[in-house]
Amino acid sequence: SVHYKTVSPKVLFLHSIMGVGTNLFPMEAGKIPQLKGLLNEFEFKHVAAFPSLIRLITYGKILPELTRKINNLESLESISFHRVIDNERIVFSAEDLWIGFNYQMVHMLDFLPATNWKQEIDDPLFQQFLELHEFLTKSKKIVAHVDKSLESPLEKDDNGKPLSVGMFLNMVIPKPAKRWASAQSIKKFSDEIGHDIGYTITWSSTKA
């Protein structure tokens, strides 16, 4: 990936094959062994976890919890959660999680509104992107590149300057009703297929 050169681009290419934010599955669970045989261990781990991380971020609990402990993230040993396609348990190391979050941020760029950013600032996907970028920046875990100079066509700020991604990244964005509704919707989708949307973080003996 042009925006995340230190890891395999295959993960972003196949990110939705084992599930998406809704209950549509491009691949049957029975084909998982075949998919696994086409990827290396790292690639399969992140492809399998991709839909789960989408849901965890959308549900809106994991980033606030990690932000509250942002000064103790070196004590994070692992996190366990469940695969969307079959509810199998996944265990990520802390490094896996930061890589997964960076993959998610690159993915979210594809869903930013094409224009009318001022009017679309309460769009749930826009909100999630801003929240994730803020967390990765504050925690110094950001690796993927985001072009902050990218501008919204024809839109200007109050001073007549073109609106850019960077300007929104520096704003404090309220959490509107749409964001709450999005979280409830993703929980409903998971409940419908027996997917456990919860997670468990394991911290080292160092106080977290």
Side-chain angles (χ1 to χ4, degrees):
S1 171
V2 173
H3 301 288
Y4 196 9
K5 296 181 179 180
T6 58
V7 292
S8 172
K10 292 182 183 178
V11 175
L12 288 170
F13 181 68
L14 294 168
H15 70 274
S16 64
I17 197 167
M18 291 179 67
V20 292
T22 57
N23 293 337
L24 298 175
F25 296 92
M27 184 190 79
E28 298 173 358
K31 294 183 178 179
I32 291 175
Q34 293 170 262
L35 177 65
K36 193 172 184 179
L38 297 173
L39 303 171
N40 63 36
E41 182 178 355
F42 171 90
E43 292 164 345
F44 178 75
K45 176 189 294 186
H46 283 278
V47 169
F50 209 100
S52 304
L53 290 181
I54 288 175
R55 295 193 183 208
L56 288 178
I57 292 169
T58 303
Y59 194 39
K61 293 187 177 182
I62 189 169
L63 291 180
E65 177 176 352
L66 292 173
T67 299
R68 288 193 297 271
K69 299 181 178 181
I70 202 162
N71 294 321
N72 297 295
L73 293 180
E74 299 310 312
S75 299
L76 195 158
E77 289 189 345
S78 65
I79 178 171
S80 63
F81 49 94
H82 294 83
R83 242 168 27 191
V84 172
I85 196 169
D86 57 6
N87 207 43
E88 284 291 309
R89 184 170 176 262
I90 296 174
V91 178
F92 262 19
S93 67
E95 184 62 20
D96 288 329
L97 184 60
W98 312 142
I99 291 171
F101 279 168
N102 275 272
Y103 271 132
Q104 292 292 326
M105 188 173 64
V106 174
H107 171 64
M108 289 177 185
L109 283 170
D110 290 337
F111 293 91
L112 294 188
T115 187
N116 298 324
W117 289 356
K118 280 185 177 180
Q119 289 72 35
E120 299 293 338
I121 192 64
D122 64 346
D123 178 84
L125 289 173
F126 206 162
Q127 294 270 319
Q128 291 165 38
F129 168 73
L130 294 172
E131 291 166 8
L132 182 57
H133 185 277
E134 180 181 29
F135 169 75
L136 289 173
T137 300
K138 287 184 175 180
S139 63
K140 297 180 172 59
K141 304 299 182 184
I142 191 166
V143 179
H145 173 67
V146 175
D147 184 0
K148 297 181 182 180
S149 67
L150 182 66
E151 297 176 356
S152 176
L154 306 179
E155 288 191 276
K156 308 289 184 181
D157 66 11
D158 295 337
N159 297 315
K161 295 181 179 179
L163 284 178
S164 67
V165 171
M167 293 177 63
F168 282 98
L169 293 177
N170 292 324
M171 292 173 62
V172 177
I173 307 299
K175 307 299 186 294
K178 284 185 181 179
R179 183 70 177 86
W180 181 87
S182 178
Q184 298 308 303
S185 177
I186 207 73
K187 176 67 163 57
K188 181 180 179 182
F189 277 126
S190 284
D191 287 346
E192 287 175 352
I193 59 172
H195 170 246
D196 183 350
I197 203 171
Y199 62 91
T200 301
I201 296 176
T202 300
W203 302 91
S204 69
S205 56
T206 304
K207 186 176 180 180

